[in-house]
Amino acid sequence: CDPVAPSAVTALKELGIEVDVRDDITPDELAEVISDYEGMVVRSRTKVRAALIDKATRMKVIIRGGVGLDNIDVAYAEGKGIKVCNTPKASTNAVAELALGLMFALARRTPYADHSMKAGRWEKKALKGAELADKTLGIIGYGRIGRELGRKARALGMRVIAYDPYITHEDIVPLDELLKQADYISLHVPATPETLNMLDAAAFAKMKEGVYLVQAARGGVVNEQALYEALTSGKVAGAALDVYTEEPPKSTLLQKLIALPQVIATPHIGAATKEAQQRIGDEIVALAKTYLT
Ligand code: NAD
């Protein structure tokens, strides 16, 4: 129901699976045809909620190419005997590299510098940046992506601290400590009721003056209104956003946030590398082989 690597479609067919590629199918169209299918492959675009699952009478497996499962009512599907799986490792490096690249871009304002050059300006004096080496990076959510980012950041000479209440690791500190100490903060938590608005006005108030923020986790983990205020007050020196509460972002608040010169915005491209898409495709094929052949 969403785009996957063409090689994966070929490989699925080679397994003897009949494949229909409907990667722009609308929710209404999907509801109409879903009872014909024993398996479905989705990314984040297609929402698989209870009402749709009720119609999926022959479904054996729902494969989510990618990490989060927040677009699928997993417990409901599993209650109906449908296996739900994803490809969690395939995009780890791609997201970690994007987060790191965004930190460099924030520190040196390279997107702004490029825009100003293209507009014919030479703003050398206004573009005094900052360095990553010897700075403290606070990573919120120390799972696959968070730890990979930590490893890369350490190689650059950064000090790495992390907050994650569900794992034990020597880098872990209490959230308040992280907010107080970090020069850069990068979020890598899943979307859960607990992580919703986890960076709100109270959290921003605890941060260092001039902190940089990278949000490539899930929309809603950062309260966008509070972020807007923290940016305009100067508390947060710059923020890079890859995910939003609304995708594509249309609300006035999001338009205003994205338009700020100290914001770098990308359209949910964390996992959008050739390599990650290939790995996701390969994992989808392996899962389909297990559950559909
Ligand atoms: P993961 O499950 O390996 O790691 C998530 C970590 O967050 C876990 O260690 C978990 O214990 C921790 N966590 C859960 N609740 C928390 C809380 N309240 N406070 C702090 N930590 C908490 O997942 P991952 O593969 O590292 O992916 C992390 C997230 O990145 C995904 O859930 C997804 O939302 C996001 N993601 C974004 C993109 C993108 O395109 N921007 C791509 C892939 C994944």
Side-chain angles (χ1 to χ4, degrees), residues 173-230:
V173 298
L175 181 59
D176 278 4
E177 268 314 302
L178 182 148
L179 299 176
K180 207 164 82 187
Q181 292 183 25
D183 303 295
Y184 294 79
I185 294 177
S186 196
L187 289 149
H188 300 286
V189 290
T192 67
E194 198 194 359
T195 60
L196 182 69
N197 290 319
M198 109 182 258
L199 292 192
D200 56 7
F204 283 114
K206 292 176 188 153
M207 292 178 194
K208 259 192 188 176
E209 200 72 23
V211 65
Y212 291 102
L213 179 73
V214 174
Q215 151 65 321
R218 273 288 180 277
V221 169
V222 176
N223 182 291
E224 288 155 347
Q225 179 69 42
L227 174 61
Y228 181 81
E229 282 156 23

Coordinates of all heavy atoms in Angstrom, one line a residue, residues 173-230:
V173 N 21.4 9.3 32.2 CA 21.3 10.3 33.3 C 19.8 10.6 33.4 O 19.0 10.4 32.5 CB 22.1 11.6 33.0 CG1 23.6 11.3 32.9 CG2 21.6 12.3 31.8
P174 N 19.4 11.2 34.5 CA 18.0 11.6 34.6 C 17.7 12.7 33.6 O 18.6 13.5 33.2 CB 17.9 12.2 36.0 CG 19.1 11.7 36.8 CD 20.1 11.5 35.8
L175 N 16.4 12.8 33.1 CA 16.0 13.7 32.1 C 16.4 15.1 32.4 O 16.9 15.9 31.6 CB 14.5 13.6 31.8 CG 14.0 14.5 30.7 CD1 14.7 14.2 29.3 CD2 12.5 14.3 30.5
D176 N 16.1 15.5 33.7 CA 16.4 16.9 34.1 C 17.9 17.3 33.9 O 18.3 18.4 33.5 CB 16.0 17.2 35.5 CG 14.5 17.5 35.6 OD1 13.8 17.4 34.5 OD2 14.0 17.8 36.7
E177 N 18.8 16.3 34.2 CA 20.2 16.5 34.1 C 20.6 16.7 32.6 O 21.4 17.5 32.3 CB 21.0 15.2 34.6 CG 21.4 15.3 36.1 CD 22.0 16.6 36.5 OE1 23.0 17.0 35.9 OE2 21.5 17.3 37.4
L178 N 20.0 15.8 31.8 CA 20.2 15.9 30.3 C 19.8 17.3 29.8 O 20.6 18.0 29.1 CB 19.5 14.8 29.6 CG 19.7 14.7 28.1 CD1 19.7 13.3 27.6 CD2 18.7 15.6 27.3
L179 N 18.7 17.7 30.2 CA 18.2 19.0 29.7 C 19.1 20.2 30.2 O 19.3 21.1 29.5 CB 16.7 19.3 30.2 CG 15.7 18.2 29.7 CD1 14.3 18.5 30.4 CD2 15.6 18.2 28.2
K180 N 19.6 20.0 31.4 CA 20.4 21.1 32.0 C 21.8 21.1 31.3 O 22.4 22.2 31.1 CB 20.6 20.8 33.5 CG 20.8 22.0 34.3 CD 20.6 21.7 35.8 CE 21.8 21.0 36.4 NZ 21.6 20.6 37.8
Q181 N 22.4 19.9 31.0 CA 23.8 19.9 30.6 C 24.0 19.9 29.1 O 25.0 20.3 28.6 CB 24.4 18.6 31.1 CG 24.5 18.5 32.6 CD 25.2 17.2 33.0 OE1 26.0 16.6 32.2 NE2 25.0 16.8 34.2
A182 N 23.0 19.5 28.3 CA 23.2 19.3 26.8 C 23.4 20.6 26.0 O 22.6 21.6 26.2 CB 22.1 18.5 26.2
D183 N 24.3 20.6 25.1 CA 24.5 21.7 24.2 C 23.7 21.4 22.9 O 23.2 22.3 22.2 CB 25.9 21.9 23.8 CG 26.8 22.2 25.0 OD1 26.6 23.3 25.6 OD2 27.7 21.3 25.3
Y184 N 23.5 20.1 22.7 CA 22.7 19.6 21.5 C 21.8 18.5 22.1 O 22.2 17.7 22.9 CB 23.6 19.0 20.4 CG 24.5 19.9 19.7 CD1 25.7 20.4 20.3 CD2 24.2 20.5 18.5 CE1 26.5 21.3 19.7 CE2 25.0 21.4 17.9 CZ 26.2 21.8 18.5 OH 27.0 22.7 17.9
I185 N 20.6 18.5 21.7 CA 19.6 17.5 22.1 C 19.0 16.8 20.9 O 18.6 17.5 20.0 CB 18.5 18.1 23.0 CG1 19.1 18.6 24.3 CG2 17.4 17.0 23.3 CD1 18.1 19.3 25.2
S186 N 19.1 15.5 20.8 CA 18.5 14.8 19.7 C 17.5 13.7 20.3 O 17.8 13.0 21.2 CB 19.6 14.1 18.9 OG 19.1 13.7 17.6
L187 N 16.3 13.7 19.7 CA 15.2 12.8 20.1 C 15.2 11.5 19.3 O 15.1 11.6 18.1 CB 13.9 13.5 20.0 CG 13.7 14.7 21.0 CD1 12.8 15.8 20.4 CD2 13.1 14.2 22.3
H188 N 15.1 10.4 20.0 CA 15.0 9.1 19.3 C 14.1 8.1 20.0 O 14.4 7.0 20.2 CB 16.4 8.5 19.0 CG 17.2 9.5 18.2 ND1 17.0 9.7 16.9 CD2 18.1 10.4 18.6 CE1 17.8 10.6 16.4 NE2 18.5 11.1 17.4
V189 N 13.0 8.7 20.5 CA 12.0 7.9 21.2 C 10.8 7.5 20.3 O 10.6 8.2 19.3 CB 11.4 8.7 22.4 CG1 12.4 8.8 23.5 CG2 10.8 10.0 22.0
P190 N 10.1 6.4 20.6 CA 8.9 6.1 19.8 C 7.7 7.1 20.2 O 7.8 7.7 21.2 CB 8.6 4.7 20.2 CG 9.1 4.5 21.5 CD 10.3 5.4 21.7
A191 N 6.7 7.1 19.4 CA 5.5 7.8 19.8 C 4.6 7.0 20.7 O 4.1 5.9 20.3 CB 4.7 8.2 18.5
T192 N 4.5 7.4 21.9 CA 3.7 6.7 22.9 C 3.0 7.7 23.7 O 3.3 8.9 23.7 CB 4.5 5.8 23.9 OG1 5.3 6.7 24.7 CG2 5.5 4.9 23.2
P193 N 1.9 7.4 24.5 CA 1.3 8.4 25.3 C 2.3 9.1 26.2 O 2.1 10.3 26.5 CB 0.2 7.6 26.1 CG 0.0 6.3 25.3 CD 1.3 6.0 24.6
E194 N 3.3 8.4 26.6 CA 4.3 8.9 27.6 C 5.2 9.9 26.9 O 5.7 10.8 27.5 CB 5.1 7.7 28.1 CG 5.8 7.9 29.4 CD 6.8 6.8 29.6 OE1 6.8 5.8 28.7 OE2 7.5 6.8 30.5
T195 N 5.5 9.7 25.6 CA 6.5 10.6 24.9 C 5.8 11.8 24.3 O 6.4 12.7 23.8 CB 7.3 9.8 23.9 OG1 6.4 9.3 22.9 CG2 8.1 8.7 24.5
L196 N 4.4 11.7 24.2 CA 3.7 12.8 23.6 C 4.0 14.1 24.4 O 3.9 14.1 25.6 CB 2.2 12.5 23.6 CG 1.3 13.6 23.0 CD1 1.4 13.6 21.5 CD2 -0.2 13.3 23.4
N197 N 4.4 15.2 23.7 CA 4.7 16.5 24.3 C 5.8 16.3 25.4 O 5.8 17.1 26.4 CB 3.5 17.1 25.0 CG 2.5 17.6 23.9 OD1 3.0 18.2 22.9 ND2 1.3 17.4 24.1
M198 N 6.7 15.4 25.3 CA 7.7 15.2 26.3 C 8.6 16.4 26.4 O 9.1 16.7 27.5 CB 8.4 13.8 26.2 CG 9.8 13.8 25.7 SD 10.2 12.0 25.6 CE 11.2 11.8 27.1
L199 N 8.9 17.1 25.3 CA 9.5 18.4 25.4 C 8.5 19.5 25.3 O 8.0 19.8 24.2 CB 10.6 18.5 24.3 CG 11.8 17.6 24.4 CD1 12.9 18.1 23.5 CD2 12.4 17.5 25.8
D200 N 8.1 20.0 26.4 CA 7.1 21.0 26.5 C 7.7 22.3 27.1 O 8.9 22.3 27.3 CB 5.9 20.6 27.3 CG 6.3 20.2 28.7 OD1 7.5 20.3 29.1 OD2 5.4 19.6 29.5
A201 N 6.9 23.3 27.4 CA 7.5 24.6 27.8 C 8.3 24.4 29.1 O 9.4 25.0 29.2 CB 6.3 25.6 28.1
A202 N 7.8 23.5 30.0 CA 8.6 23.3 31.2 C 10.0 22.6 30.9 O 11.0 23.0 31.6 CB 7.8 22.3 32.2
A203 N 10.0 21.7 30.0 CA 11.3 21.1 29.6 C 12.2 22.1 29.0 O 13.4 22.2 29.3 CB 11.0 19.9 28.7
F204 N 11.7 23.0 28.1 CA 12.5 24.0 27.4 C 13.1 24.9 28.5 O 14.3 25.3 28.4 CB 11.7 24.8 26.4 CG 11.6 24.0 25.1 CD1 10.3 23.6 24.7 CD2 12.7 23.6 24.3 CE1 10.1 22.8 23.5 CE2 12.5 22.9 23.1 CZ 11.2 22.5 22.7
A205 N 12.3 25.2 29.5 CA 12.8 26.1 30.5 C 14.0 25.6 31.3 O 14.9 26.3 31.7 CB 11.7 26.4 31.5
K206 N 14.1 24.3 31.3 CA 15.3 23.7 32.0 C 16.5 23.6 31.2 O 17.6 23.2 31.6 CB 14.9 22.2 32.4 CG 13.8 22.2 33.5 CD 13.4 20.8 33.8 CE 12.2 20.8 34.8 NZ 11.4 19.6 34.6
M207 N 16.4 23.8 29.9 CA 17.6 23.7 29.0 C 18.5 24.8 29.1 O 18.2 25.9 29.5 CB 17.1 23.6 27.5 CG 16.3 22.3 27.2 SD 15.7 22.3 25.5 CE 14.5 21.0 25.6
K208 N 19.7 24.6 28.5 CA 20.8 25.6 28.5 C 20.4 26.7 27.5 O 19.7 26.4 26.5 CB 22.1 25.0 27.9 CG 23.1 24.6 28.9 CD 24.4 24.3 28.1 CE 25.4 23.8 29.1 NZ 26.6 23.3 28.4
E209 N 20.7 27.9 27.8 CA 20.5 29.0 26.8 C 21.3 28.7 25.5 O 22.5 28.4 25.6 CB 21.0 30.3 27.5 CG 20.5 31.5 26.9 CD 19.0 31.8 27.3 OE1 18.5 31.3 28.3 OE2 18.4 32.5 26.6
G210 N 20.6 28.7 24.4 CA 21.4 28.6 23.1 C 21.6 27.1 22.7 O 22.4 26.8 21.9
V211 N 20.7 26.2 23.3 CA 20.8 24.8 22.9 C 20.3 24.6 21.5 O 19.5 25.4 20.9 CB 19.9 24.0 23.9 CG1 18.5 24.3 23.8 CG2 20.1 22.5 23.8
Y212 N 20.8 23.5 20.8 CA 20.4 23.1 19.5 C 19.5 21.8 19.6 O 19.9 20.9 20.4 CB 21.5 22.9 18.6 CG 22.3 24.1 18.2 CD1 23.5 24.4 18.8 CD2 21.8 25.0 17.2 CE1 24.2 25.5 18.4 CE2 22.5 26.1 16.9 CZ 23.7 26.4 17.5 OH 24.4 27.5 17.1
L213 N 18.5 21.7 18.9 CA 17.6 20.6 19.0 C 17.4 19.9 17.7 O 17.2 20.5 16.6 CB 16.2 21.1 19.5 CG 15.1 20.0 19.7 CD1 15.4 19.1 20.9 CD2 13.7 20.6 19.8
V214 N 17.5 18.6 17.7 CA 17.2 17.8 16.5 C 15.9 16.9 16.8 O 16.0 16.1 17.8 CB 18.3 16.9 16.0 CG1 17.9 16.0 14.9 CG2 19.5 17.8 15.6
Q215 N 14.9 17.0 16.0 CA 13.7 16.2 16.2 C 13.5 15.4 14.9 O 12.9 15.8 13.9 CB 12.5 17.1 16.5 CG 11.1 16.7 16.2 CD 10.6 15.5 16.9 OE1 11.3 14.5 17.1 NE2 9.3 15.4 17.1
A216 N 14.0 14.1 15.0 CA 13.7 13.2 13.9 C 13.1 11.9 14.4 O 13.3 10.8 13.9 CB 15.0 12.9 13.1
A217 N 12.3 12.1 15.5 CA 11.7 10.9 16.1 C 10.3 10.7 15.5 O 10.1 10.1 14.5 CB 11.6 11.0 17.6
R218 N 9.3 11.3 16.2 CA 7.9 11.3 15.7 C 7.3 12.6 16.0 O 7.5 13.2 17.1 CB 7.1 10.2 16.3 CG 7.2 8.8 15.6 CD 6.5 8.8 14.3 NE 6.6 7.5 13.7 CZ 7.6 7.1 13.0 NH1 8.6 7.9 12.8 NH2 7.7 5.8 12.5
G219 N 6.4 13.1 15.1 CA 5.7 14.3 15.4 C 4.9 14.2 16.7 O 4.4 13.1 17.0
G220 N 4.9 15.3 17.5 CA 4.2 15.2 18.8 C 5.0 15.0 20.0 O 4.6 15.4 21.1
V221 N 6.2 14.5 19.8 CA 7.1 14.3 20.9 C 7.6 15.6 21.5 O 7.8 15.8 22.7 CB 8.3 13.4 20.5 CG1 9.4 13.3 21.5 CG2 7.8 12.0 20.2
V222 N 7.8 16.6 20.5 CA 8.1 18.0 20.9 C 6.8 18.8 20.7 O 6.2 18.7 19.7 CB 9.2 18.6 20.0 CG1 9.4 20.0 20.3 CG2 10.5 17.8 20.1
N223 N 6.5 19.5 21.7 CA 5.3 20.4 21.6 C 5.7 21.6 20.7 O 6.6 22.4 21.0 CB 4.9 20.9 23.0 CG 3.6 21.8 22.9 OD1 3.7 22.9 22.4 ND2 2.5 21.3 23.3
E224 N 5.1 21.7 19.6 CA 5.5 22.6 18.5 C 5.3 24.1 18.9 O 6.1 25.0 18.6 CB 4.9 22.3 17.2 CG 5.4 21.0 16.6 CD 4.5 20.2 15.7 OE1 3.3 20.6 15.6 OE2 5.0 19.3 15.0
Q225 N 4.2 24.4 19.7 CA 4.0 25.7 20.2 C 5.1 26.1 21.1 O 5.7 27.2 21.0 CB 2.6 25.8 20.9 CG 2.3 27.2 21.4 CD 2.0 28.2 20.3 OE1 1.4 27.9 19.3 NE2 2.6 29.4 20.5
A226 N 5.4 25.2 22.1 CA 6.5 25.5 23.0 C 7.8 25.7 22.3 O 8.6 26.6 22.7 CB 6.6 24.4 24.1
L227 N 8.1 24.9 21.3 CA 9.3 25.0 20.5 C 9.4 26.4 19.8 O 10.4 27.1 19.9 CB 9.5 23.9 19.5 CG 10.7 24.0 18.6 CD1 12.0 24.0 19.3 CD2 10.7 22.9 17.5
Y228 N 8.3 26.8 19.3 CA 8.2 28.1 18.6 C 8.6 29.2 19.5 O 9.4 30.1 19.2 CB 6.8 28.3 18.0 CG 6.7 29.6 17.2 CD1 7.2 29.7 15.9 CD2 6.2 30.8 17.8 CE1 7.1 30.9 15.2 CE2 6.2 32.0 17.2 CZ 6.6 32.0 15.9 OH 6.6 33.2 15.2
E229 N 8.0 29.1 20.7 CA 8.3 30.2 21.7 C 9.8 30.1 22.2 O 10.4 31.1 22.3 CB 7.3 30.0 22.9 CG 6.0 30.6 22.5 CD 4.8 30.1 23.4 OE1 5.0 29.6 24.5 OE2 3.7 30.2 22.9
A230 N 10.3 28.9 22.4 CA 11.7 28.8 22.8 C 12.7 29.3 21.7 O 13.7 29.8 22.0 CB 12.0 27.3 23.2

